[in-house]
Structures are given as structure tokens and as C-alpha cells.
Amino acid sequence: MSKKLGGSGLAKGLTNYGDNEFSLYLRKAFASAAGHSEEMLKKPVVGIAQAPSGFNPCHRTFPELVEAIKRGVISEGGMPFDFPTISLGESFTSPTTMKYRNLLSMDIEEMINAQPMDAVVLLGGCDKNVPAQMMGAFSANIPAIQLVPGPMLPMPFEGERLGACTDCRRYWGNYRAGKMTEEKINLIGTKLAATAGTCAVMGTASTMASIVEVLGISLPNTAAIPAVHSDRIRAAEETGRQAVRLAKKPILPSQIVTPQAIENALVLLLAIGGSTNAIIHLTAMAGRLGIEVSLKTLNTLSEKTPVLVNLKPTGEHYMSDLYAAGGIPAVLRELKPLLHLNCLTVTGKTLGEQLDEVSPWVDRDIIRSMDQPYQDKGGLIALFGSLAPRGAILKRSAAEPALMEKEGRAVVFSSLQDLAQRIDSPDLDVYADDILVLQNAGPRSESGMPEAGCLPIPKKLSSQGVKDMLRISDARMSGTAFGSVVLHVSPEAAAGGPLGLVRTGDRIRMSAENRKLDLLVDSAELEKRRKESSPEQYSPKRGYSKLYAQSTLQAEAGCDFDFLTFEGSSK
């Protein structure tokens, strides 16, 4: 765990000129160039890590949020300094923002350590930004508080409310099936993301915002405030005030994020029908503090944690509806019997104390009770077996129930390129009862583990009305997506996992009930295939891509870099 040396405020972590008094003198001189008064420079310093970018429309409200945070910091007696970081915009980044999550975490950690601040506000939203900021802040381990920009508002179109990005995928599926014209799909494309903010559904961005709230790293009832709501600006101001309180009376991330807090996060994740990506991100975040996230624990909790939230892609509503229904605190109040209520938060109160202050009102159409849940069991489960020795993830809350106990013939795509070239071929040898398998799309592959695990239904089948098939890969899936999709198969194909040995025509059996995923091919045949083939190796020669290829861990370890984990950083 890294530690900052020296004093506090502007005297913290002085630039080394061999003369500390000169270092502080010079620092103040250059601070004066920015117009800061001597009086303000004596106050506790709050850093504001922000990630605006023209390539990240999710973050376009950041200027007014930064202004509000600064207002809060100054009103509480602190001195704000905002600074830029890498900004990860999912739909604008190639091959995927997942490849650069660890880079942003390094940016956050190093800038927190390199610059003088007594506390830091982390401002980010588009899905990989939040876990990356948490990973960096947990490693730096100074007082930290998160603020997200908030979700978009869904907007009416032809009698139906639309919101990115579950509706994006639904309409695109209709277009691929020939049920919609090109003119119509292009028109809908201008209606899906009508306001600033992150995806309007319980995708990865909203899931991570919810997780950070239950972990106690953000203020209560701030995860679901719509981006364009005035409450979001007031939340920013209060976040700035709380950051100063943390600077004056420190509470460290390592005091807040405990094994019990991580278990609380898993319970909430299951209850909201959250994104599969959250398992990878939460594992990486916890790993920075030496806490293990066990997939077997996930399965245990999933059996006793019902889905309570009726939001897309699992249900029918949007994040703005969740905020109006009582927000994450109302969900946590229902979950109290399953939570560790003594966990500390950035407010200095325990989770239980915060929930005692929650309004009793709740909209039961959006947030169900424990005895009348939306679904009886948790939204996510882990599968193990001969095809996934170290685990795989299934979002059963967004899947077709009829496909949860399934044996079928594999139709294999060896790469994303192979998938793109053949999936819509009229000659593709595929039937509705088959199982689609994608190889070489995992964390160590050239593709960087993209959100490609929700393989499109082959056009020859979608045009016949087929809407779902069992799909298996070492890739990820957008939190906004839906369908019967097995993800994060580990070890991945590129690391020599059994997934890379599957051939078209093999039989695969999945049992959600028994948490099993097996390749029904005898060991002698698999050994023969292993000797006759070798995994595809991604071996870039330079830059960040080389570091990524050399250091990325498997899905069950959060896909962090091996040298950034708590164990790795202590060596």
C-alpha cells in the first residue's frame, strides 16, 4: 500500500529539490501564479479527479459538477484543486474500454500520490471509469469519495419510453431480423440517448454507481439521481463538503472497504439484477486491498438474495424511476436482514445508521419487498465444470428460463473476425437448438475482452423468429444486454483453457440449477487436440499493449495487472 510522506495541505508530498523549505516556497510561488491567496493555500487541499472528454458524452455535465464540488469544498473550509485524468468512453474506444481500465487506475493512483491532497473526489461515470477510479484510490489509500454523473432520462417516442442501451440492442435485433427499415432504425438511433448521463438502465455504469454507494464510498442516495436533475448538482456540492470533513478527520478506503462491505456489495448486485461486468470490477477493486471475491460465495448469496428491482434489462423500468421510487437506500432497507450493517461509510456513520434515516416511502412497482420479489433468486450465478475449471458467469435474471438446463451441439467461432465473417452467412451450419461458442475474446486476447459475449443470433435464425440461444465465450457482455449468455469462461482460450479445444459438433451441457458447464468430450480426445494446436498468443512489441499482454490476470482475479494487486504491489 503506497503512503504519502510529509505534512498536510500544500506541504504534502513536496517536490524533491534537496531543500524542503525551498520546495514549499517554490510551490507557493507557482500557486500564486494561479491567483490563490496565502489564506486559501493554508487550508486542507481536496483534489478533484475528473475525466471529461469530447469522446465521452456520458461526462458532458462535468463542468457544472466540478463547479458545485468546488463550492462545497470552499464552504467547508477547504481548498479545491481539480486535475484531469484519462477518460474512458465505451462506444468511442477501440478495441474496448476494458483494455484501458487498468491504465486509468494507474493514472488515478499515481496522480493522487504525486500531487498534494488531503482527500480526493473522484468524478466519473461511464462504466469502466468508476472501477478504475476506485482501484487507484484504494491503492493510494487516502480519504476518497466518489461522485457519478448520473443516468440519462428515458424519453418518449411513438408512445414508448426509450433509453440507452437495452432498447438499442432490442431495436437492433429487430432490424437484423428484417422487421424494421434502415430509415426507422436510424431515426430511433437519434432518440435512444436524449440527455447527458450514463445508460438509463441497470447497465454496468448504474451497477457500479450502486455498488460504490453500498460500499460507503459515495454519499447515500446519489447513485440513481438523473444527470440532468438539480439534485445531482446539490449532491456534488455536498460531496465537496464531505471531502473536506474527510481531510480534517480522515477515514481511509481500507477502513471502509472490508470483506463485510464487499459481501454487502455482492448482495446488492444480485438484488438489482446488476451487470455481469461488476463481478470482474468488484474483484479487482477488492484485490487492491487484499480481499478475495469468491465465485462460490456469489453462488451461496445468490440462493438467498432475490431480485427486488424491476429495471431493464431484467425488468421494464429505468434508473430515473428507481430514484423516484426511493433509490438505492430503499433497496438496501429491504435487504437489511442480509447485510452487515456495522460497515463504516465516508459519512462517518455505519450503513445501518444511514438506513435508519431513510424515508419509509417506496414505490412497490419498482422496488419489491423480500416476501414479494421480482425474481426469487439472485440475478447472477457462477458455473464450474470441464469447460470452465475456474468459473464462468451467467446472468440468469436476463436469460430465457427454458435454456437454463441445456445440452446441445456446439457451433464454434474461433475469433471475433471469424464471427463477423460467418454469423450472417446463409450457409452457416446452425440450428435453433445449437449452442454458439466464441473463442479468443478473453482478457489476454488481442481484442482485450470486449463486450462481444452476447453473440448475435444468426440472421438465418433471427429471420425465422428465433430470439435467444445459449451462447458461451471468454468475452464480456454489456450490462445493458440480455439473453442466455455464459461469459468470462476461465481459463480463457488464449491462456490454454478448454474453451479453445471446443470444435463444431461437440456436445456441451449446462445446468444452471447445478452450477455446471461441461464439454462432453473424453479426455483422450482433448489431450490429442491440445497437442495438435496451440493457443493464439497476443504479443505486441511496445507500449501499453505490451504491458497489458504481459500482466493481465484472468477473469476470476478481476483482470487486474499482476503487479497492481495488493499482493503484487507489496512484493
Side-chain angles (χ1 to χ4, degrees), residues 101 104-105 108-109 112 120-124 127-142 144-148 208-209 211-213 215-218 253 256-257 281-282 284-286 288-289 346:
R101 182 202 65 179
L104 174 53
S105 82
I108 293 290
E109 178 183 353
I112 288 175
V120 62
V121 176
L122 302 153
L123 182 57
D127 53 7
K128 309 307 180 299
N129 292 270
V130 174
Q133 289 177 333
M134 291 293 95
M135 291 160 69
F138 292 177
S139 292
N141 202 33
I142 72 165
I145 185 168
Q146 177 84 44
L147 179 71
V148 296
M208 295 312 302
I211 282 177
V212 170
E213 183 172 320
L215 283 176
I217 298 291
S218 62
I256 296 171
V257 183
H281 297 323
L282 187 60
M285 289 158 54
R288 294 296 181 96
L289 293 169
V346 287

Side-chain angles (χ1 to χ4, degrees), residues 10-11 13-29:
L10 210 64
L14 290 169
T15 309
N16 191 353
Y17 296 109
D19 181 338
N20 283 348
E21 291 186 5
F22 172 73
S23 296
L24 182 57
Y25 173 78
L26 191 62
R27 180 172 284 179
K28 287 182 176 180

Side-chain angles (χ1 to χ4, degrees), residues 314-484:
T314 296
E316 55 188 345
H317 296 289
Y318 295 90
M319 284 297 290
S320 54
D321 301 318
L322 176 62
Y323 182 60
I328 293 301
V331 181
L332 295 174
R333 185 182 58 217
E334 301 298 328
L335 294 169
K336 282 177 75 171
L338 301 178
L339 299 174
H340 299 281
L341 299 175
N342 61 342
C343 290
L344 188 62
T345 73
V346 287
T347 65
K349 299 177 182 178
T350 65
L351 178 62
E353 289 170 338
Q354 286 185 172
L355 294 181
D356 287 341
E357 300 172 357
V358 174
S359 167
W361 186 84
V362 62
D363 183 344
R364 287 296 184 206
D365 187 42
I366 312 295
I367 302 171
R368 305 289 180 84
S369 63
M370 288 283 281
D371 57 355
Q372 291 184 313
Y374 187 68
Q375 294 181 10
D376 290 335
K377 295 181 180 180
L380 304 176
I381 56 172
L383 307 174
F384 298 89
S386 61
L387 189 53
R390 298 210 294 264
I393 297 294
L394 171 68
K395 187 173 184 177
R396 59 179 173 183
S397 62
E400 174 60 49
L403 295 175
M404 293 300 90
E405 304 295 318
K406 170 75 176 176
E407 181 181 325
R409 184 187 73 128
V411 175
V412 179
F413 300 92
S414 62
S415 65
L416 288 165
Q417 293 76 16
D418 184 33
L419 175 70
Q421 290 169 3
R422 294 196 295 125
I423 190 66
D424 286 339
S425 170
D427 299 324
L428 182 65
D429 179 19
V430 65
Y431 300 90
D433 198 44
D434 288 339
I435 297 174
L436 304 182
V437 176
L438 173 64
Q439 301 167 327
N440 296 302
R444 285 288 184 96
S445 70
E446 185 174 3
S447 63
M449 203 182 191
E451 294 181 338
C454 190
L455 281 67
I457 304 299
K459 186 168 284 189
K460 67 184 292 185
L461 298 179
S462 64
S463 62
Q464 298 170 12
V466 176
K467 295 182 178 179
D468 199 6
M469 298 175 69
L470 184 59
R471 288 157 276 179
I472 300 172
S473 76
D474 46 13
R476 297 178 300 111
M477 176 175 80
S478 169
T480 65
F482 49 89
S484 305

Side-chain angles (χ1 to χ4, degrees), residues 503 506 521-530 532:
R503 302 291 181 262
D506 289 348
V521 176
D522 66 62
S523 56
E525 172 62 20
L526 292 179
E527 186 59 32
K528 178 184 175 185
R529 293 180 188 179
R530 188 171 282 109
E532 292 174 349

